[in-house]
Amino acid sequence: MNDLIIEAKGLYKTYRGAEKAAVDRIDLTVEKGSFFGLLGPNGAGKTTTLAMLTGLLEPDDGLLKVAGFDIRTSLDEVKRRIGLVPQEISLYPSLTAQENLAYFGMMQGLSGNALNGRIGDCLEFARLTELADKRVETFSGGMKRRLSLAIGIIHEPLILFLDEPTVGIDPASRLFIFENLKAMNANGTTIVYTSHYMEEVQTLCDTAAIMDSGRVIANGRMSALLSRQGKGMIRIRTAPDPTEAVRLDVESLPGAQSAIIKNDLLEIQTQEPEAAIEGVLRLLREKNVKLLSISHGAADLEGLFLSLTGTHLRD
Amino acid sequence: MHDAGNLTRLYASILKETRLIVRDREALVILFVMPLAFVLIMSLAMQDAFMEKSGVFTVAILDNDNGAVGQGVIAAFSSAGYMKTTVLKDAHDEADVKKEINSGRFKFGVIIPKGATTLAKGRVQRQLNFAKDGSGNGVYVRLISDPAMRVDHSNLVASSLARALAGVENRLLWEAVASLSGMEITPEREKEIREILDGNRPFEEVKAEDATGTRTASPMPTSVQQSVPAWSLFAMFFIVIPLSVTFIKERQLGGLTRLKTMPVPSSVVMAGKAIPYFIINQLQIALMLAVGFFIVPLLGGDALSIGNSPIAVGILTISASFAAIGFGLMTAMFCKTTEQSTTFGGTSIIVFAALGGIMVPKFLMPQFMQSISVISPLSWGLDGFLDVFVRGGGVSDILPEAVGLLSFGLVCLCVAAWRFSLKPR
Ligand SMILES: Nc1ncnc2c1ncn2[C@@H]1O[C@H](COP(=O)(O)OP(=O)(O)OP(=O)(O)O)[C@@H](O)[C@H]1O
Ligand SMILES: [Mg+2]
């Protein structure tokens, strides 16, 4: 196991005046060099968690170490090693791209040639070199997102936090951001990426935590998370409704790992979907049970979220 | 990672803030064009008003004589249209009269000494007896004036008093003459008589005295002397609006969120805001003074004269700027939206200005309004400037005003710093 670069235990936050905890005693670990996804529906507590990890918000309770420092006692040490790309595009509209980068670069402590070099790199990174001297207020949404991202990495942080960085941008810009993040991760930057798009997290991240209503409901390596679902899930509806006897028969079929009855649905986890489907169809015919519908979904985080919470990830 | 330090951060903050202001056209109009227009318009438009108003003088008369002299002066002053005469009943001495003037109730005081009529009659008698020695003093009727009065106005009242006394003198003379038999007057005799008369004048020459007793030249402000410092202060305090608006926008747009994740002390952020506005304040005052010196006279107004203590002017400017910046930062910390801060900032400054004698000069205000005006920091600033410009004051004269402004700024700044923290909450 690699070094842990973020360790949170029992992290807890209730906003003033709120009835429910926004983040409800969660445990999180992020390995150094990993591409970590924090996934969850709107209001799950992703931004609140990120705010605590980046020192914006003081946890009401819990332990939190970032980059090896306790955030309560060594906040400045933490700050020197992290970069945040906030959920909202946080730029000065009347300053140019170059001026925005220069300002935040200097506020991070850069100056002179180091600063100028980084500004050049970041403009390149955001593909805004040509537009360096144009005011940000004239930029498109995607251009602003790219610049916002570039500002987050101007000081080459050890850990980069991104809060839903692909909201409201075109597919080309989105792809471009993905490529860059992957390259940065390959160069050693630890990335913490929040999103409510499960495909994004699934394709980008090597580890992930799924949040819902302030709690972490699943977390671990992406492969492990996905294999909890096997190769996928087959759902069938029958007339009459599936019985316990049918369920046991289905579970013993070759290719089927497990079967559960949820309301009028029979859900079958499988590693070999083709064999399992054939077996189920044969069995139902033998038992004279009428098949009303059958569906199969490949293993994905959406499926995992659904099986954990019984609701869909998207609103 | 090498850290360039907080001086670099301060420089970056100042540079950023300066760019934000310079690119904000509305802010530039508010900070420079508006006050400039005000100064020009008011200096020229109010010129006559300043003259006219000072044409009605309030005069307090202390009549310790209760004889012909007192009656004569009171009658003469009461019939003059440009004076409003009040005979003091409760006052007893010079100190009482000066107190009345210093409180602002009266512009002038006339003190008619005890036994004036008896002494004057005696001197007239000596004239008629052709007493050649001409020794001893005549009756000294004193005229005390508000140090803020213009010299020409004091002179006007002084000559009125002299005329009134001449009238009394004539009456006393004719009364005495009436009791004498006829007398032949040759030219030589006439010359001799004139010398005798001059040596025995019943009244001493009237001279306006300053109520504070240290009078140099201390006229009322000219309209440009009032307008330049008044609208400069107004403009300086108006930085509250752009200062708070840029700050609130930064908070709303998330620039501050980014800063909070960076190793930046909040003092650097505050100083990065304060310094550019401090410089703007200095530019404003320089511009306004220049307008008073050069532009107003070109357009037919009086040229600005600023007394003889540029250091005092500098101290006042710095103090006022400190107060304005403190007030602006405090406004920024307490207002959530830019609408709130423009409404609150704009309204409070206009009220401060109206109370403080910026819009309506204080000497035109009734007494109770003048006493309310002490709650306005703009009023302290304006008093300070007028002390220097008009009353020839120096550093020690403006210290109370400067200390007041600095304290006001300091209190605001402390409240703002208490509210503003980059620490996690
Ligand atoms: N400043 C705040 N004051 C009070 N409650 C808040 C505040 N910010 C967030 N909340 C509440 O805390 C909970 C978690 O919000 P959070 O913003 O962390 O969710 P999120 O997962 O980032 O959602 P989204 O995908 O919409 O960004 C929500 O119920 C939200 O309403
Ligand atoms: Mg969020």
Side-chain angles (χ1 to χ4, degrees), chain A residues 43 46-48 87 163-164 194:
Chain A
K46 304 182 297 292
T47 299
T48 308
Q87 185 163 359
D163 198 353
E164 314 219 13
T194 83

Side-chain angles (χ1 to χ4, degrees), chain A residues 13-23 38-51 57 87-88 163-164 167 194-196 211 213-214 315:
Chain A
K13 182 78 200 180
T14 306
Y15 285 104
R16 220 187 307 167
E19 290 181 6
K20 233 167 87 335
V23 170
L38 192 57
L39 187 64
N42 289 128
K46 304 182 297 292
T47 299
T48 308
T49 303
L50 222 55
L57 207 59
Q87 185 163 359
E88 270 82 44
D163 198 353
E164 314 219 13
V167 170
T194 83
S195 177
H196 62 270
M211 288 190 77
S213 313
D315 304 328

Side-chain angles (χ1 to χ4, degrees), chain B residues 106-128:
Chain B
F106 297 100
K107 296 290 175 214
F108 295 96
V110 174
I111 302 177
I112 298 159
K114 210 169 169 171
T117 304
T118 316
L119 179 56
K121 277 186 174 158
R123 306 252 323 160
V124 167
Q125 205 55 53
R126 283 161 70 100
Q127 290 180 354
L128 295 177

Side-chain angles (χ1 to χ4, degrees), chain B residues 141-196:
Chain B
V141 176
R142 295 177 61 191
L143 173 65
I144 318 252
S145 86
D146 182 343
M149 290 310 293
R150 275 163 53 171
V151 172
D152 48 346
H153 293 148
S154 306
N155 290 345
L156 188 64
V157 175
S159 65
S160 300
L161 182 56
R163 262 200 315 279
L165 292 174
V168 174
E169 181 180 346
N170 278 340
R171 233 184 72 216
L172 294 176
L173 197 57
W174 289 124
E175 276 171 14
V177 166
S179 64
L180 288 175
S181 52
M183 179 189 293
E184 219 183 310
I185 297 179
T186 61
E188 310 90 74
R189 190 116 182 99
E190 188 179 323
K191 192 170 163 257
E192 193 187 343
I193 290 173
R194 199 156 291 286
E195 275 165 16
I196 292 163

